[in-house]
Amino acid sequence: MIRQKIGELLIKEHLLTEKQVEEALVLQKAKKKRLGKVLRELGFVTDEQVAKALSHQLDLPTVSLKDVHVPKALLTMITQEDAERHMVLPLYIEDKKLTLAMSDPLDSDALAAIEFKTGLEVVPVVATESDIVSGIERCYQVEEKIYDLMKTVKSYDNAEFLKEKEDDKVVNVHSLYKMSEAPPIIKLVTMMIVEAVRMRASDIHIEPREENIVVRYRVDGELRDVLKLPKRVQDSIISRIKIISDMDITKRRLPQDGTSKLRLPDREVDLRISTLPSLYGEKVVIRLLDKSKGLVNLAQIGFPDAIMDPLIDILSHPQGFVLVTGPTGSGKSTTLYAILQQLKSEIENVITVEDPVEYRLDGITQVGINDVIGLTFPSVLRSVLRQDPDIIMVGEIRDYETADIAIKASLTGHLVLASLHTNDTVSAVTRLIDLGVPPFLVSSSLNCVLAQRLVKRICPNCKVPDEDLCGVTGGGFGGLKTTYKGSGCPHCHTTGYYGQIGVFEFLPLSNRMRRLIAKSASEEEIWDEAAEHGAKSLFEDAIEKVSQGITSLEEVLVKVPNTRKKD
């Protein structure tokens, strides 16, 4: 078998571009992961695509390890540590040849190591990495080994753990629907939440008015009226929501926060619930976090190449400060989670400080803020720095103390990711200085700033040229020749839009830019320096997406500020 590199092979299969392989190689070198694993984490390829490509290019069979049985003699010959290190699983021996399931049969080091240890000729077959991980856990009986180890551990009968109050109630929708004798309010509240999930809503707003209650869903970033209810059911609905989120139904004059969980046949949705006293009663907002959608990876975020390439290079650095900025609802958390998905590894300690923790990430320590008991961003960050972290994510920088700790951490060997509420990249620099951080600290710690907004995607099922706006010139529109819009169809509920996409502005710090920041230069001077090196503004990136038919000019004019407009 000719020894090739997996990246070259995947390029031959037209699954990757050379640029994507180069980006992955940068991160592979920094994070010490297998290239195939990095490519999958970036979202460039899937487990199945890699296995199929390897099988086709190398003329090797693929195997499913779901029900495979490995002889005990083989498990002794190739230990669990060997299998995990090389990501392989021995299958059987025949005629002094060992058939070995491999996620990367091009790994010559793994082949040589197994051949040397066993004294057998290795015959590789292809399996997905997820299949091999599951096979190792099952065949080497990982859980049973842990249980056996527990038997030898000394017991401390006089020790006990005290449970805190459980705050994670589960609402079983099937049970609620089957309760034919259940009060109508239970069915009504359940219906409101389930329908919101079905319509892809991110939030539900229940707003008391003088004569009725209005229920609105936020879909693709915009609120839509979906229901009007009589005033007489107001207290019952709010009480029901408080019960499922473990709030105090007797408190009506103070804001409250709670959590719950909705379990559907095909998914689980976390509910973050907030109440606020208003003139006509308590307003309720329910944030829906749909676990079935999963976390997006960097490739799915939608960065143009001009941002993706330098961003991946910056993320490969072991220390520094990476800032993601934008208003509420601009997708900052999604971007930070995508970066964390890529950066986490077995050899690094990753800790996040969030308010609240929106999604749970395997292999990462996540800490939720609780101001009521003194668990603030500054206090938690100080404790985090005593936990020997490699990478720290700060959910939001709100004050000088948090900014100061985060920036100093980035100067002492940590990679720090954080979000900030500003309009664009350059104003994020100004904001840090306004918070009280000395300009020289900002200039020496900051690696890059990424500003973003979310705009709605034109519905692909009803996209048509926008005859009224075709051929628009001037006004900073770059001479658009063709623009599109959605005419409205059942797929998009007649709105013309379906889903959202990010528009971005990226500011990597050059040496000259660092000097300008240290000298307290104006925002205009800093941006002019960035523009000279090819930086595009949020508005320019948005207009490019208009020209590609991804979003509409109308949407861009409403959502994206043209802060770089020349007089």
Side-chain angles (χ1 to χ4, degrees), residues 8-232:
E8 295 172 357
L9 185 147
L10 293 172
I11 290 172
K12 285 182 181 178
E13 285 285 296
H14 305 293
L15 292 173
L16 293 175
T17 64
E18 290 185 6
K19 183 175 287 186
Q20 287 174 322
V21 173
E22 288 170 5
E23 291 172 357
L25 284 169
V26 171
L27 278 176
Q28 181 206 20
K29 185 176 180 181
K31 299 302 169 186
K32 297 180 174 62
K33 299 181 182 180
R34 291 183 300 279
L35 180 61
K37 186 176 180 66
V38 173
L39 290 167
R40 287 188 290 271
E41 288 177 348
L42 280 168
F44 292 159
V45 288
T46 64
D47 246 358
E48 291 72 20
Q49 285 176 322
V50 172
K52 186 176 179 181
L54 288 167
S55 173
H56 179 253
Q57 285 283 333
L58 304 177
D59 196 23
L60 295 175
T62 58
V63 294
S64 171
L65 306 178
K66 186 177 180 182
D67 300 313
V68 71
H69 173 73
V70 180
K72 285 187 178 180
L74 265 182
L75 298 177
T76 303
M77 187 182 296
I78 299 175
T79 65
Q80 179 187 333
E81 290 73 21
D82 292 331
E84 290 175 341
R85 183 186 307 118
H86 302 299
M87 200 47 60
V88 299
L89 189 68
L91 299 180
Y92 56 87
I93 298 174
E94 189 175 297
D95 297 331
K96 294 186 178 181
K97 293 182 179 180
L98 169 64
T99 299
L100 188 70
M102 305 182 71
S103 63
D104 180 9
L106 295 168
D107 188 344
S108 56
D109 291 338
L111 286 165
I114 299 297
E115 286 181 344
F116 178 78
K117 184 161 189 174
T118 62
L120 300 168
E121 180 185 345
V122 171
V123 179
V125 294
V126 182
T128 64
E129 183 165 323
S130 56
D131 250 10
I132 290 177
V133 170
S134 299
I136 291 172
E137 289 178 353
R138 185 177 63 257
C139 295
Y140 287 93
Q141 299 178 322
V142 175
E143 290 185 4
E144 290 185 21
K145 288 184 179 179
I146 293 172
Y147 180 73
D148 290 340
L149 179 64
M150 294 284 290
K151 292 178 182 178
T152 66
V153 175
K154 180 181 177 182
S155 63
Y156 297 90
D157 295 329
N158 59 344
E160 64 175 340
F161 291 97
L162 302 178
K163 289 186 178 180
E164 293 185 354
K165 183 178 179 183
E166 188 173 340
D167 63 352
D168 196 20
K169 285 192 174 183
V170 175
V171 182
N172 192 311
V173 175
H174 282 300
S175 297
L176 293 179
Y177 274 130
K178 287 178 181 177
M179 293 169 62
S180 58
E181 299 297 323
I185 293 300
I186 293 178
K187 293 183 178 181
L188 178 59
V189 170
T190 303
M191 179 273 295
M192 282 194 303
I193 298 173
V194 173
E195 277 297 297
V197 173
R198 188 185 66 81
M199 290 181 65
R200 304 177 297 107
S202 61
D203 302 89
I204 304 170
H205 289 239
I206 301 166
E207 302 176 354
R209 305 285 171 86
E210 186 174 7
E211 297 180 352
N212 54 33
I213 307 168
V214 176
V215 179
R216 302 199 288 172
Y217 296 163
R218 187 176 294 279
V219 181
D220 296 336
E222 290 191 350
L223 285 170
R224 304 177 186 173
D225 288 3
V226 294
L227 198 60
K228 283 189 179 179
L229 301 170
K231 191 73 173 175
R232 66 178 181 273

Side-chain angles (χ1 to χ4, degrees), residues 285-300:
V285 175
I286 304 174
R287 168 65 57 89
L288 306 174
L289 300 173
D290 189 347
K291 293 182 178 180
S292 71
K293 292 179 181 176
L295 294 164
V296 300
N297 51 46
L298 280 178
Q300 295 171 316

